Amino acid sequence: MTYLGVTISHNLDFQSHYSKICAKANQLLGLLQRTLHPCDRNTKSVAFNSIVRPVLEFATPVWNPAKKKHIDQLESVQRKAARFACKDYQRTSSVTSMCNQLGWPSLESRRNMYDVTLFYKMQYNYVDIPFPKDITPNTSSCRGHSLKFNIPYSRLNVHKSSFFPRTVKLWNSLPEELISIQSLDAFKVQSMSHLSSFNI
């Protein structure tokens, strides 16, 4: 079943969704490779960020993957695009270095940024989405920042990897100076910088 652009399976593993968006993104990347072959690195980078990457990032808080095979499946599209942008297809070349040269954080770190940004919007009432009843402030821990929450109990892995359990854990790991920022735009920029340092 596809609902608002997200393919949902009966067991909520989103594997069909990952395959679908990767196929579409690769198709668009192929179009760019055919039409922008003679263009410079910057033009190719802008085209990828504008046309291909949004396909891989639509509604990520819903389906942000937990399994490495799915993370790698999505990441492979960007890595292929990095080789195209840098005109470097040598097997010995570092694709990670190419992404750094292009200023492309990993898609995983960008998805994590979208997760904590949505949580930030909920915390500071930028959106009218209340926290579920099992998302409660953590007042017993002296470690970390002052706006930590208790991670909800998960009996199943599918729940453990869903938005609130995974994002509360990520939110709790952020430094005090980051979660206390009062500007949404500044939070996005600084959280992206902070999370990118853990996904190189």
Side-chain angles (χ1 to χ4, degrees), residues 56-57 59-67 71 74-75 105-121 160-163 165-174 178 187-200:
L56 299 168
E57 294 187 333
T60 57
V62 176
W63 53 262
N64 192 353
K67 294 181 179 179
I71 293 171
L74 294 161
E75 219 60 64
S106 69
L107 296 178
E108 180 182 12
S109 60
R110 287 178 58 83
R111 289 192 299 272
N112 289 339
M113 180 271 290
Y114 289 130
D115 278 355
V116 294
T117 297
L118 179 56
F119 199 91
Y120 175 95
K121 289 178 179 179
K160 186 177 181 179
S161 61
S162 64
F163 176 76
R166 72 167 185 263
T167 306
V168 167
K169 184 177 181 180
L170 196 58
W171 173 266
N172 288 349
S173 72
L174 299 178
L178 184 52
F187 177 82
K188 287 181 180 179
V189 172
Q190 294 192 38
S191 63
M192 184 73 264
S193 177
H194 176 78
L195 293 167
S196 294
S197 65
F198 295 96
N199 289 285
I200 298 176

Side-chain angles (χ1 to χ4, degrees), residues 2-200:
T2 299
Y3 184 72
L4 296 178
V6 178
T7 303
I8 304 173
S9 58
H10 71 283
N11 58 358
L12 296 178
D13 69 354
F14 293 104
Q15 185 167 342
S16 296
H17 183 70
Y18 306 143
S19 297
K20 184 176 180 179
I21 62 174
C22 284
K24 183 176 181 181
N26 276 314
Q27 185 179 33
L28 291 171
L29 179 57
L31 175 63
L32 296 186
Q33 289 173 323
R34 292 190 296 274
T35 56
L36 301 181
H37 179 72
C39 295
D40 60 26
R41 176 185 298 185
N42 184 64
T43 300
K44 293 175 180 178
S45 179
V46 170
F48 172 77
N49 291 338
S50 304
I51 298 172
V52 181
R53 194 166 67 184
V55 174
L56 299 168
E57 294 187 333
F58 178 72
T60 57
V62 176
W63 53 262
N64 192 353
K67 294 181 179 179
K68 187 178 185 300
K69 67 176 182 178
H70 296 143
I71 293 171
D72 291 345
Q73 181 183 9
L74 294 161
E75 219 60 64
S76 68
V77 182
Q78 177 163 284
R79 294 174 70 84
K80 186 187 301 182
R83 286 191 178 278
F84 164 63
C86 295
K87 295 183 180 179
D88 188 345
Y89 295 94
Q90 297 183 50
R91 296 185 63 182
T92 55
S93 298
S94 169
V95 183
T96 300
S97 295
M98 295 181 204
C99 289
N100 290 338
Q101 292 170 22
L102 292 163
W104 294 355
S106 69
L107 296 178
E108 180 182 12
S109 60
R110 287 178 58 83
R111 289 192 299 272
N112 289 339
M113 180 271 290
Y114 289 130
D115 278 355
V116 294
T117 297
L118 179 56
F119 199 91
Y120 175 95
K121 289 178 179 179
M122 296 170 69
Q123 170 66 25
Y124 290 103
N125 299 313
Y126 281 89
V127 292
D128 188 18
I129 304 176
F131 286 126
K133 292 181 179 179
D134 59 346
I135 304 300
T136 57
N138 183 339
T139 57
S140 61
S141 176
C142 297
R143 300 178 63 182
H145 59 73
S146 57
L147 292 176
K148 292 177 68 175
F149 288 81
N150 293 308
I151 300 173
Y153 170 74
S154 299
R155 186 173 59 86
L156 301 174
N157 286 334
V158 67
H159 179 263
K160 186 177 181 179
S161 61
S162 64
F163 176 76
F164 282 107
R166 72 167 185 263
T167 306
V168 167
K169 184 177 181 180
L170 196 58
W171 173 266
N172 288 349
S173 72
L174 299 178
E176 178 80 36
E177 60 271 19
L178 184 52
I179 59 95
S180 59
I181 291 175
Q182 295 302 305
S183 164
L184 177 59
D185 289 338
F187 177 82
K188 287 181 180 179
V189 172
Q190 294 192 38
S191 63
M192 184 73 264
S193 177
H194 176 78
L195 293 167
S196 294
S197 65
F198 295 96
N199 289 285
I200 298 176

